[in-house]
């Protein structure tokens, strides 16, 4: 990794270095993680080729794009984006006085999918919203024909809740 860091500090735009070689990319290796960060920051451009002597061996190379200091570009947190979408959907139902949407509908709103994994994600996101003090959830009794009652705790719609449908 120190060789990579030294190369990065001295490299000019267009300079290249091999950072990994093998059958599979060793994704957990410190040097590979460092290169992945540089790629996200836009400081290097990745290349992939095969070893000319052994076609089964892959060679991963990066090219220095710029020598100017790179400001890391913060990627939006997926959980935050999904929590915002979920809170919008819950707030919309509360404002309209509707029942809490099903986990399937909420999964589509928050994740764009309706799979069981997406529904579990909604359950986790709702727990996060509740822990953050943005909603209060009153679970539906066992065997009920309706979902939970969700009360919005923040924003201009604070105090509104999804009503139970009988």
């Amino acid at each position: 990794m120190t060789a990579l860091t030294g190369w990065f500090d001295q490299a000019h735009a267009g300079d290249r270095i091999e950072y990994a070689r093998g059958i599979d990319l060793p994704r957990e290796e410190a040097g590979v993680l460092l290169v992945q960060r540089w790629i996200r920051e836009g400081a290097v451009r990745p290349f992939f080729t095969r070893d000319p002597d052994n076609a089964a061996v892959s060679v991963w190379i990066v090219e220095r794009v710029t020598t100017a200091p790179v400001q890391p570009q913060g990627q939006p947190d997926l959980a935050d984006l999904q929590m915002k979408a979920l809170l919008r959907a819950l707030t919309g139902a509360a404002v309209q006085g509707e029942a809490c949407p099903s986990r399937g509908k909420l999964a589509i709103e928050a994740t764009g999918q309706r799979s069981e994994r997406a529904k579990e994600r909604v359950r986790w996101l709702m727990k996060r919203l509740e822990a953050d003090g943005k909603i209060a959830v009153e679970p539906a009794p066992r065997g009920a024909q309706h979902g939970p009652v969700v009360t919005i705790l923040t924003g201009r719609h604070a105090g509104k809740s999804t009503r139970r449908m009988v």
Side-chain angles (χ1 to χ4, degrees):
M1 185 162 103
T2 55
L4 273 174
T5 306
W7 170 83
F8 185 81
D9 292 340
Q10 300 299 317
H12 298 287
D15 290 351
R16 293 182 176 190
I17 190 171
E18 176 184 315
Y19 69 95
R21 175 182 288 264
I23 295 175
D24 292 318
L25 181 64
R27 296 184 190 282
E28 301 303 317
E29 194 173 280
V32 174
L33 294 172
L34 180 63
V35 167
Q36 294 299 321
R37 189 187 88 210
W38 292 338
I39 292 169
R40 283 191 307 273
E41 292 172 353
V44 297
R45 181 181 311 126
F47 290 94
F48 168 83
T49 189
R50 296 282 180 188
D51 185 324
D53 297 329
N54 184 353
V57 175
S58 300
V59 179
W60 288 271
I61 300 167
V62 288
E63 177 182 76
R64 187 80 154 109
V65 175
T66 178
T67 55
V70 177
Q71 297 297 322
Q73 298 172 352
Q75 294 181 352
D77 183 19
L78 181 60
D80 286 342
L81 295 174
Q82 290 175 338
M83 282 194 301
K84 287 176 183 174
L86 181 61
L87 186 58
R88 270 193 311 272
L90 293 169
T91 301
V95 168
Q96 298 296 320
E98 298 173 350
C100 182
S102 68
R103 277 196 304 141
K105 287 181 183 176
L106 291 173
I108 290 171
E109 289 290 327
T111 68
Q113 301 175 11
R114 193 183 183 108
S115 66
E116 285 303 312
R117 186 174 182 177
K119 291 176 186 177
E120 287 301 313
R121 178 75 172 181
V122 165
R123 181 176 297 187
W124 178 79
L125 291 168
M126 285 185 70
K127 286 180 182 178
R128 290 251 333 246
L129 286 171
E130 194 171 20
D132 290 350
K134 296 185 183 207
I135 63 172
V137 179
E138 180 186 328
R142 259 196 187 299
Q145 297 295 320
H146 56 79
V149 173
V150 177
T151 305
I152 308 302
L153 300 177
T154 61
R156 71 176 199 221
H157 299 294
K160 295 188 179 183
S161 65
T162 58
R163 60 184 166 89
R164 287 192 172 152
M165 302 298 284
V166 181

